[in-house]
Amino acid sequence: MADQNQKAEIFELNNGTMRVFITNYGCTITSLSVPGKDGKLADVVLGFDSVDPYMQGLAPYFGCIVGRVANRIKDGKFTLNGTDYSLPVNRPPNSLHGGHKGYDKQIWEVAEHKKGDNGSITFKYHSRDGEEGYPGNLSLTATYTLTSTTSMRLDMEAVPENKPTPVSLAQHTYWNLAGHNSGSILDHAIQIWANHVTPVDENTVPTGEIEPVKGTPFDFTAQKRIGESIHEVGIGYDHNYVLDCGEEKEGLKHAARVRDPSSSRVLNLWSNAPGMQFYTANYVNGVVGKGGAVYGKHAGLCLETQGFPNAINTPNFPSIVVQPGEKYRHSMLFEFSVE
């Protein structure tokens, strides 16, 4: 549990080129500003000006770390080592992003905050046995680090203390590289290093199949405008991509590259996770954010690297179970440029 004296605050990382504001409420990125082709900074994440709206539950997971298990668990149920577990069904008929009060709605302890060119901030949280229905105590850390003038790395770790447990954390920032208040992301182009996707049922839970993207509207193996085929996939993209063909560097795989044509801003994302939920803010509807900006449908895009959704109930998906004393590690590298 976080120290009861901890309060929700916003902290800054700033290396002179890139400015990031992060709160210990849910390890949430509230603002991230990087230069565009004109050299002008723009804030490229959806969010709020203060911590209050986040704490009031007004954010549809803007900017936060979600867990203990990101994404959907079918019917809010799973069995592990012969024990049945029931989770809150907070997105009927499933459990989503850790339940009613997941890690995005907890105040984390600020363990360390370093200023300067390679500034970083480390958050810690202790999740107790039975919290939101999950088994065992779990010690978590999350560190955001400015690794270069326009790069940021996130390192998430979790260690079960006394029971095996599913663990799958995700970073849920909504990106709009034209600026958070610039409208739709449908003109952004994206490339995703995934030859396969996990198709879903009517409740957005994977069926267990792993299907090739070739010849489908889910194919982003070559750069493509997000809006080009979005009308063919219902209300928008909200699908788990199998990260199976990206080149590697420093133990991370190339997951995605996003470019905004208006500002020439590019985001390259690298991760060591097996999957990535590509989500086009299909359910965002009239949320009043920073500076009074109104965020509507498709106002941002999420690149949530993760374990596969509902993996705990799907034997052919990579396991998300972590044993006591083992360490779950999930790292993401966000590289911004102008191209």
Side-chain angles (χ1 to χ4, degrees), residues 258-284:
V258 185
R259 182 177 184 270
D260 163 50
S262 66
S263 66
S264 300
R265 277 189 199 88
V266 171
L267 166 57
N268 277 285
L269 173 62
W270 303 72
S271 175
N272 64 346
M276 183 186 78
Q277 193 82 3
F278 173 45
Y279 173 53
T280 48
N282 311 323
Y283 302 107
V284 176

Side-chain angles (χ1 to χ4, degrees), residues 46 73 144 194 274 297 305 332:
L46 275 55
I73 292 180
Y144 292 94
K297 186 178 181 183
T305 63
M332 304 173 77

Side-chain angles (χ1 to χ4, degrees), residues 47-308:
F48 300 107
D49 288 313
S50 71
V51 295
D52 296 342
Y54 297 96
M55 299 185 77
Q56 291 160 13
L58 301 182
Y61 301 102
F62 284 163
C64 57
I65 290 178
V66 294
R68 181 173 305 194
V69 173
N71 217 298
R72 291 161 182 83
I73 292 180
K74 186 176 173 137
D75 300 330
K77 290 182 166 53
F78 68 91
T79 301
L80 183 58
N81 296 346
T83 303
D84 295 336
Y85 294 95
S86 285
L87 311 172
V89 176
N90 60 316
R91 183 64 64 87
N94 305 306
S95 190
L96 178 70
H97 291 330
H100 292 304
K101 195 174 182 188
Y103 299 161
D104 63 300
K105 296 177 182 69
Q106 304 287 354
I107 295 178
W108 293 51
E109 175 194 344
V110 182
E112 186 176 47
H113 185 195
K114 293 183 190 164
K115 306 284 175 73
D117 286 355
N118 293 109
S120 67
I121 189 162
T122 298
F123 302 103
K124 290 188 172 180
Y125 180 67
H126 188 261
S127 178
R128 67 186 191 281
D129 185 15
E131 184 179 318
E132 295 297 306
Y134 287 95
N137 295 327
L138 188 69
S139 292
L140 301 119
T141 61
T143 301
Y144 292 94
T145 307
L146 301 185
T147 51
S148 77
T149 50
T150 54
S151 298
M152 181 180 72
R153 183 176 170 120
L154 168 60
D155 294 294
M156 296 173 273
E157 296 187 345
V159 178
E161 294 172 10
N162 51 356
K163 292 181 185 176
T165 181
V167 181
S168 178
L169 307 179
Q171 215 298 340
H172 208 299
T173 292
Y174 289 71
W175 304 97
N176 186 324
L177 298 181
H180 74 97
N181 55 352
S182 62
S184 161
I185 48 80
L186 294 183
D187 281 334
H188 283 42
I190 190 168
Q191 184 172 0
I192 301 174
W193 278 269
N195 286 319
H196 297 84
V197 72
T198 53
V200 294
D201 66 15
E202 68 280 6
N203 296 313
T204 329
V205 173
T207 59
E209 299 160 289
I210 295 174
E211 289 187 348
V213 295
K214 191 174 169 63
T216 76
F218 299 103
D219 189 352
F220 290 98
T221 51
Q223 178 180 287
K224 187 171 86 176
R225 184 176 160 269
I226 291 172
E228 187 174 316
S229 315
I230 198 167
H231 57 280
E232 298 175 46
V233 294
I235 60 169
Y237 294 97
D238 192 5
H239 297 77
N240 174 61
Y241 281 74
V242 180
L243 300 176
D244 55 9
C245 57
E247 60 174 322
E248 279 202 37
K249 74 169 179 188
E250 297 165 28
L252 306 181
K253 287 180 302 196
H254 207 172
R257 176 187 183 273
V258 185
R259 182 177 184 270
D260 163 50
S262 66
S263 66
S264 300
R265 277 189 199 88
V266 171
L267 166 57
N268 277 285
L269 173 62
W270 303 72
S271 175
N272 64 346
M276 183 186 78
Q277 193 82 3
F278 173 45
Y279 173 53
T280 48
N282 311 323
Y283 302 107
V284 176
N285 180 12
V287 178
V288 180
K290 287 175 279 194
V294 179
Y295 304 136
K297 186 178 181 183
H298 307 320
L301 63 95
C302 300
L303 305 168
E304 308 159 55
T305 63
Q306 60 180 4
F308 294 4

